[in-house]
Structure formats: C-alpha cells, structure tokens
Amino acid sequence: MLHIVDGIGSWVIRTCSIVGTFALFLFSTLSTLVTTRLKVRQVIAQMQRIGVESFTIIFITGFFTGFGLALQTYIGLSRFGGEEFIGVVVALGMSRELGPLLTGLLVIGRAGSAMTAELGTMQITEQVDALRTLCIDPYQYLIVPRVVAGTLILPFLTLFSMLFGIIGGYIYSIYVLELNPEIYLSSIQQHVNISDIVGGLIKSAVFGLILSWTGCYMGLSTTGGAQGVGHSTTQSVVIASLLILLANYFLSAFLFKVGA
C-alpha cells in the first residue's frame, strides 16, 4: 500500500515540476520580450518559415474541408428542406471552429515539429551554450522571435483557411448540388457576423502562442543526442495538439456563448 502511495506522490511531484518549468519558460520569454529589443528580422524570417511556407497546405486543407462540410451539411439539411442554410453552416463552421483548429494542428505538424528539431539539434550540439558564451541571450535571439512570429502569423493563415473553406463550399453547392448561388451568399451575409470571424482569429492567435511556446520549450529541453531530438519532436507535436484541443473548448465556450 505504501509503495502505491509513494508512486502516486512521486508522479504528482514530477508532474508539478514539469508544469512549473513549462510555465516559467513562458514567463521568461514574455519578460525577455518586454525588457529587451525585439529582433525584427528574426521575427520576419520565422513568419516566413511558419506562415508563408505553410500556405499551400492551408489552402488545400481549407478548400477540401469546405467541400466536405457542404456535402455533409446538405445530407442533413435536405431531410427537412433546409438546403438554403448550407452557406451559413459552412461559413460558421469554418470561421468559428474548423478554420482555427485545422490551421493550428497542421502548423504544429509542419512548422512546430521543425522548430523543436532545430532547437533540439542546437541544444545537443552545444550551439545554445556557445551563444551564452558570446553573451547572446538565447531567449532574445532564438525563443522570442519564434513565439512572436507564431502568435502573429496564425491569424493570417486562419483567415485564408476560412476563405478557402467558404469558396470550396460555394463551388460544391453551386456546381455539384446545383443550388442557387445568391441564396448561398445571402445566407452568409445575413447570419454570419464579424464577431464570428474575430473570435476565430483570437483562437488562432492563442493556438500560435501554444505551438511556438511548446516547440521552443521541448527543443531547449532536448537531451540524449539524435534519439533525444526525435523524442522531443514527437512529444512537442503531441503536447501542443492536446493543449490546442483543450484550449479550443474553453475559448469556444468563452467567445461563442450559447445564444450569441
């Protein structure tokens, strides 16, 4: 019995230590952001790597998600004669939920994992220690630009995901289902508010912070050579994905209250 209690206690202490270190890493990052000069060129370079290079996959995913959403919506709405609401369902689905969520998860897999692998490799080859030897703050030079870039660029990618999803739904509804294009567009104009889009963009900014924060933390925590880099990269994707899914629920409940 004492062995079980001891095991549970050790697990709780270890978990609290990891969570505390994770939170302190974000605190140090934010402190560095407000107390030191921002490396603007580094931020722009990271925005290029995280955002611009992810544009193609965001375009394809958003477009075909709109296709699928229009198909499934038609199947459901046609059972009680509500086909004219396909446009608003597709637009709300993409702006409030699918656009931010899919963009966050895809960017984790493409850019977040690369971020962890790059920083992890720098850590095990002692390049981070070399920066400290040269009196260069790794937080200012490596971490802050990635976190700022991830937080700023995700809303832009999400905006394109929403747009391509709505266009995909439009093309499917008009050219496959042969619905009236004016009804599709007018339903969106009547029932989709700017707050729906703004709420989705706020969610995506939080997702960008989570994925860059997790990617940088796991990268700088890497130990154990090449195998450790692979382990950190996998853990980074898993942890950031779970955090985004968890944050998505609470942000949806807060931003899009029932009846709003």
Side-chain angles (χ1 to χ4, degrees):
M1 185 67 183
L2 288 176
H3 179 70
I4 297 174
V5 173
D6 183 60
I8 294 174
S10 299
W11 180 84
V12 171
I13 292 173
R14 191 166 57 252
T15 303
C16 290
S17 176
I18 294 172
V19 172
T21 306
F22 193 48
L24 283 175
F25 181 83
L26 178 62
F27 178 76
S28 299
T29 302
L30 296 178
S31 297
T32 305
L33 173 63
V34 298
T35 57
T36 61
R37 185 177 179 181
L38 181 64
K39 302 285 186 182
V40 177
R41 288 189 178 180
Q42 293 286 346
V43 173
I44 294 173
Q46 291 301 321
M47 290 175 77
Q48 162 81 19
R49 298 181 64 182
I50 298 171
V52 178
E53 294 179 7
S54 301
F55 182 79
T56 303
I57 191 171
I58 294 300
F59 159 69
I60 295 172
T61 304
F63 190 78
F64 285 102
T65 299
F67 255 60
L69 195 54
L71 169 63
Q72 296 299 335
T73 303
Y74 174 76
I75 293 173
L77 294 179
S78 63
R79 293 177 181 176
F80 53 88
E83 295 92 335
E84 68 270 20
F85 295 111
I86 288 179
V88 65
V89 172
V90 171
L92 284 178
M94 290 303 302
S95 60
R96 285 188 171 203
E97 197 73 19
L98 293 177
L101 193 57
L102 289 176
T103 301
L105 295 176
L106 287 169
V107 174
I108 288 172
R110 207 205 67 80
S113 58
M115 194 183 298
T116 303
E118 182 183 17
L119 292 176
T121 303
M122 294 180 69
Q123 178 69 14
I124 64 171
T125 55
E126 300 181 350
Q127 294 181 55
V128 178
D129 293 333
L131 290 175
R132 292 192 179 97
T133 303
L134 295 171
C135 296
I136 298 174
D137 184 357
Y139 278 87
Q140 183 188 15
Y141 189 71
L142 297 174
I143 307 304
V144 170
R146 286 169 170 79
V147 173
V148 171
T151 306
L152 293 180
I153 200 65
L154 256 288
F156 288 98
L157 286 176
T158 300
L159 196 60
F160 282 109
S161 178
M162 295 175 185
L163 178 63
F164 294 133
I166 293 172
I167 292 174
Y170 176 87
I171 292 175
Y172 189 86
S173 300
I174 305 310
Y175 296 102
V176 179
L177 302 177
E178 298 182 348
L179 300 179
N180 190 321
E182 293 184 1
I183 293 178
Y184 182 93
L185 295 175
S186 63
S187 68
I188 294 176
Q189 292 174 347
Q190 292 175 8
H191 299 288
V192 178
N193 300 317
I194 190 67
S195 60
D196 298 315
I197 299 172
V198 172
L201 297 181
I202 292 173
K203 288 170 68 174
S204 65
V206 176
F207 297 164
L209 172 64
I210 290 174
L211 74 90
S212 54
W213 168 25
T214 307
C216 291
Y217 173 78
M218 294 304 297
L220 285 193
S221 303
T222 300
T223 57
Q227 187 176 5
V229 174
H231 179 72
S232 293
T233 303
T234 304
Q235 289 291 95
S236 171
V237 174
V238 172
I239 293 171
S241 299
L242 291 176
L243 289 177
I244 282 182
L245 291 171
L246 186 65
N248 180 61
Y249 168 75
F250 288 105
L251 287 171
S252 295
F254 176 73
L255 294 169
F256 309 121
K257 296 177 181 177
V258 176

